Amino acid sequence: MASTASRRKNLGRISEIAQVAVRHGFGYFFETHRLTDLLPGRPKLDPEVASPSERGRHLREMLDELGPTFVKFGQLLSTRPDVVPPDIVLELQKLQDDVRPVPYDDVERVIREELELSIEQLFTDFDPTPIAAASIGQVHRATLPNGRRVAVKVQRPNAPKQIEGDLSLLYQAARLIRERVRALEFIDPRQLVDEFARSIRQELDYRLEARNAEAFHHRFSGHPHVHIPRVYWSYTRTRVLTLELLEGFQLADLPMEAWEMEERRRLAYLMAETWMTMIFRHGFFHGDPHPANIFVLGDAEHIGLVDFGQVGKLTDEDMSKLTRLFIDAASERIEALPRRLAELGVRYPKEREDEFVAELREMYARYYGASLAEIDPLQVIREAFQLIYRLNLRLPTRFVMLDKAIATLAAVGAELYPDFNVFEIAKPYARGLMLERYTPQRVLKRAQAEGFELARIARDLPYQVHDVLEEFRDGQIEVGFVHKGLDEFMRKLDVAFNRLVIALVTVGGLIGSSLIGIFSTQGPQIAGVNFLSFVGFVLSAVLGLWLLWGVLRSGRL
């Protein structure tokens, strides 16, 4: 009963969402895919409101209106160029959390429940007005008893409940899309919602973000230009995160007119170099280089980073594969690129491999020979997104986050300094990575590792052969094969045998009935024929006519 009530409530909320969608110009979608039953009454649907050139902006505005969870879902979609068209991806990347703060009493209650002390006992000063408010939590300035200034991130009291409710709604919407929207059959909406659910549930545990922040803090410890806030673990729990306060202002609030172009250039390049260091040196990078997450600490030579909920990780093996991809691209071995991309986990329909190679060759020819200064990184990224969407490529999450981070860097850098080119920053790091991978020490180290692995395989081989032979002996291994066209042949053979059996039964019935009619002189008769003989003739005639009708219907006499 409770489940039915919940489903009805979700359908009511879906109906409200449908009305918001219509208001933002997506009524044509409901009409095209026969979803108008989700709309109360018979609203007038104007197909001209959301033109293709404006659909991304309309979708972004719609998600903004629907609330925080939908904003976060839009942010996830902005990292999936394999399922969302490029124009929509670029619009959704502009989505940012900006919600009404919760009352101070709720903040006090959460802190007391998590840290088991009152705000007055924990801090000598606590600003009741938040400096930032997002869908899951909000940030307050405070001072510790030792005089250190901190930023305290406090989770909204109803955040888990609201998120679970919205997730239930998204799962129901995903089911409707899967069942009724044929145009989106290439997307698995349930899988998208699963990915979103995993991501947002992780964000509900601030201890994960604290561990990420501490990892970045250690990696940039002693860096002259980049500052990562320290984590105060004794003031951190699942719903409360306490970090060192960065004394500066967000890059989003940078007064452009007050800064010289040279200062803006240095700031843009420092920011890009920071991310290239994370990607190519650490293999562990901040996943959202948005201006709201980057602080300018006094001048263009010092920046600080916040919000470590989204991070990307690249293993040593990932870096080796990326290096091989760079080498093949630099050597113009276009045919090898699909294989290198497949090694990285990129998936594409095998029947479209030739088309994939042709598209890569065309893109390569368009930019080959041009200097980095002549290449617009945002245009290259847009073209890559178009290729991903058009060929329905599947990208591993870590590389999607990497693409998004680089795309955001390119956009933010170009906003600061019009001549900024993220590729110019990335090139020396990529070159250094390739050289580093092929130093004698690294080659020897990899040779040793691979040698040990081959030795282990060789050592285990006799045991594995023995196990296989044991399974053969015990009948535990079954060999199956698939023969193209065999199923159809077997079906036809089955039909032929069935007809043959019916024909034999019919002939047998006729012969048996005839013998009964000849030799039986007693018993009831019909039209001068023994009753059993008559029944046998009738059944045989029916079977014979049925068989004849089946043969005539098949068109083969």
Side-chain angles (χ1 to χ4, degrees), residues 277 279-282 316 319-320 323 327 428-446:
T277 299
I279 294 166
F280 291 102
R281 297 276 180 254
H282 303 158
D316 191 64
M319 301 305 284
S320 295
T323 303
I327 291 172
Y429 283 90
R431 186 188 294 119
L433 175 66
M434 285 191 282
L435 292 174
E436 183 184 333
R437 294 277 149 182
Y438 291 95
T439 58
Q441 295 87 350
R442 292 299 294 268
V443 171
L444 179 60
K445 186 177 178 181
R446 282 201 301 275

Side-chain angles (χ1 to χ4, degrees), residues 97 124 143 175 180 190 245 275 306-307 309 322 333-334 336 391 396 411-412 423 452 462 500 510 513 537:
D97 291 338
T124 58
T143 306
R175 182 180 58 79
R180 299 169 67 174
R190 169 85 188 198
L245 181 68
W275 258 266
V306 297
D307 194 353
L322 280 171
R333 291 198 288 267
I334 310 300
L391 293 181
V412 174
F423 293 160
F452 283 129
L500 181 61
L510 289 172
S513 299
F537 280 127

Side-chain angles (χ1 to χ4, degrees), residues 193-460:
V193 179
D194 281 340
E195 182 183 340
F196 175 61
R198 281 194 302 272
S199 171
I200 201 166
R201 282 169 180 154
Q202 284 180 350
E203 288 189 47
L204 289 172
D205 188 350
Y206 284 168
R207 293 171 301 180
L208 295 176
E209 183 176 345
R211 284 195 283 273
N212 291 336
E214 189 167 70
F216 283 114
H217 181 78
H218 287 316
R219 284 169 169 79
F220 283 95
S221 179
H223 195 287
H225 303 291
V226 181
H227 187 75
I228 308 295
R230 173 189 169 190
V231 179
Y232 290 92
W233 283 103
S234 55
Y235 291 83
T236 295
R237 298 290 187 275
T238 302
R239 296 190 294 161
V240 177
L241 170 63
T242 304
L243 299 172
E244 174 189 354
L245 181 68
L246 296 182
E247 301 290 354
F249 53 86
Q250 291 179 335
L251 186 64
D253 299 328
L254 182 72
M256 294 288 188
E257 65 284 349
W259 283 60
E260 298 289 339
M261 188 61 72
E262 176 58 24
E263 290 180 303
R264 286 157 55 179
R265 187 193 70 80
R266 291 205 308 271
L267 184 58
Y269 277 73
L270 171 60
M271 183 182 68
E273 285 170 358
T274 300
W275 258 266
M276 292 305 118
T277 299
M278 294 180 198
I279 294 166
F280 291 102
R281 297 276 180 254
H282 303 158
F284 183 72
F285 59 92
H286 191 299
D288 190 14
H290 192 272
N293 296 332
I294 302 169
F295 276 69
V296 181
L297 307 179
D299 56 34
E301 303 294 335
H302 298 87
I303 61 171
L305 308 181
V306 297
D307 194 353
F308 306 98
Q310 294 182 36
V311 297
K313 297 176 184 177
L314 299 172
T315 65
D316 191 64
E317 184 62 23
D318 288 334
M319 301 305 284
S320 295
K321 291 173 181 176
L322 280 171
T323 303
R324 290 195 286 270
L325 176 65
F326 291 151
I327 291 172
D328 282 334
S331 305
E332 300 182 60
R333 291 198 288 267
I334 310 300
E335 289 77 8
L337 295 184
R339 185 172 70 253
R340 296 300 183 205
L341 289 168
E343 288 174 359
L344 287 168
V346 177
R347 296 288 175 262
Y348 54 89
K350 283 296 180 186
E351 63 272 13
R352 303 188 71 177
E353 183 167 349
D354 291 342
E355 183 184 354
F356 188 22
V357 172
E359 292 278 4
L360 288 172
R361 192 183 300 281
E362 184 181 338
M363 183 181 288
Y364 194 92
R366 202 155 44 241
Y367 295 104
Y368 185 72
S371 66
L372 288 175
E374 297 172 324
I375 296 174
D376 178 3
L378 287 176
Q379 179 60 29
V380 174
I381 290 166
R382 286 191 192 101
E383 289 183 14
F385 283 173
Q386 287 169 354
L387 180 61
I388 290 167
Y389 182 73
R390 191 163 60 249
L391 293 181
N392 195 21
L393 305 184
R394 290 285 184 270
L395 280 70
T397 303
R398 61 191 184 282
F399 293 116
V400 170
M401 190 172 288
L402 177 62
D403 291 343
K404 182 200 172 191
I406 293 175
T408 307
L409 272 177
V412 174
E415 218 171 292
L416 275 174
Y417 180 63
D419 293 330
F420 172 80
N421 192 311
V422 72
F423 293 160
E424 288 182 354
I425 310 295
K427 186 176 181 180
Y429 283 90
R431 186 188 294 119
L433 175 66
M434 285 191 282
L435 292 174
E436 183 184 333
R437 294 277 149 182
Y438 291 95
T439 58
Q441 295 87 350
R442 292 299 294 268
V443 171
L444 179 60
K445 186 177 178 181
R446 282 201 301 275
Q448 287 177 335
E450 291 176 5
F452 283 129
E453 181 64 18
L454 289 172
R456 186 190 65 77
I457 293 171
R459 185 197 66 191
D460 292 343

Side-chain angles (χ1 to χ4, degrees), residues 146-160:
N146 62 7
R148 293 191 180 274
R149 299 281 290 157
V150 293
V152 184
K153 189 174 181 180
V154 184
Q155 192 174 111
R156 293 170 173 268
N158 63 341

